[in-house]
Amino acid sequence: AAASTAAPAGTSRYAIQVITYSRPQLARQELERLKAKGERAFLLIVNGHTRVYVGPFPSKTHAAEKLSTLKAAYRDCFVRAL
């Protein structure tokens, strides 16, 4: 059988944290904007703040490649391990 280059499920999962909102409705609006552009996006609520992410990606390298395109619209976005 051919060896897979993908990481096993549950390991090496990364996403790009795009922006954080204290108002969940603003985060949902941003989520919908990203999805309308064809991005895989999701929300996580941490300590009362809603974080908007793009991903997940199978590796940090994949996330870093996408990060460069998102920086144009979200200059403070960064890669984060999930």
Side-chain angles (χ1 to χ4, degrees), residues 16 18 34 39 54 57 63 65-77:
I16 298 168
V18 176
L34 285 163
E39 300 292 352
V54 169
F57 299 93
E65 290 170 2
K66 184 65 180 178
L67 181 67
S68 61
T69 61
L70 289 172
K71 281 276 190 186
Y74 306 97
R75 62 184 177 89
D76 294 331
C77 63

Side-chain angles (χ1 to χ4, degrees), residues 4 6 9-10 13-14 16 22-23 25 31 35 41-42 44 46 53 57-60 66-67 69-71 76 79 81:
S4 172
R13 304 274 291 186
Y14 294 88
I16 298 168
S22 58
R23 295 173 55 199
Q25 65 270 32
L31 176 73
K35 286 184 172 183
F42 62 96
L44 286 179
V46 179
Y53 289 90
F57 299 93
S59 72
K60 195 171 187 176
K66 184 65 180 178
L67 181 67
T69 61
L70 289 172
K71 281 276 190 186
D76 294 331
V79 174

Side-chain angles (χ1 to χ4, degrees), residues 43-65:
L43 303 176
L44 286 179
I45 299 170
V46 179
N47 297 328
H49 291 87
T50 306
R51 297 176 180 174
V52 181
Y53 289 90
V54 169
F57 299 93
S59 72
K60 195 171 187 176
T61 302
H62 286 91
E65 290 170 2

